[in-house]
Amino acid sequence: MWITQLRSPFESITYLQQSLERRTYKLQKRIYQASSRGDVKAIRRLQKTLMNSWSAKCIAVRRVTQDNNGKNTAGVVAIAILPLQPRYR
């Protein structure tokens, strides 16, 4: 049996979020390393890659819709952060 078959849907969603964050973090780290080297061409290229990456877009949407605690929070009215299971019903 594959390990992915043993996971519940909520565990696989959490795993997906972690992998997206890991990919985005690695790209941001590469941008920082290029800036410390002073490699402007690499910085621009990596920034463009980050702006167009699907992982970064998913993280941005999640932060706007779930993690904001501001007055005009997008998402469910009067509930800023939903637990994992009610969010995916």
Side-chain angles (χ1 to χ4, degrees), residues 4-85:
T4 54
Q5 292 174 345
L6 298 176
R7 289 190 182 126
S8 70
F10 301 113
E11 289 175 356
S12 61
I13 291 169
T14 304
Y15 177 76
L16 175 65
Q17 290 171 356
Q18 289 173 350
S19 66
L20 294 177
E21 298 238 358
R22 192 177 311 119
R23 280 187 211 152
T24 306
Y25 174 76
K26 283 184 178 182
L27 194 51
Q28 289 172 337
K29 186 176 173 182
R30 287 177 61 194
I31 292 171
Y32 172 75
Q33 289 171 347
S35 67
S36 65
R37 284 192 317 262
D39 191 357
V40 178
K41 188 175 180 180
I43 294 170
R44 300 273 194 242
R45 180 176 44 82
L46 290 168
Q47 284 176 336
K48 189 182 289 188
T49 303
L50 181 64
M51 287 180 57
N52 293 325
S53 76
W54 184 77
S55 301
K57 289 177 184 177
C58 287
I59 291 173
V61 168
R62 182 179 184 277
R63 285 185 182 163
V64 168
T65 58
Q66 294 296 322
D67 296 343
N68 277 353
N69 290 322
K71 181 179 177 183
N72 298 322
T73 303
V76 181
V77 177
I79 300 175
I81 298 174
L82 293 174
L84 188 61
Q85 291 181 349

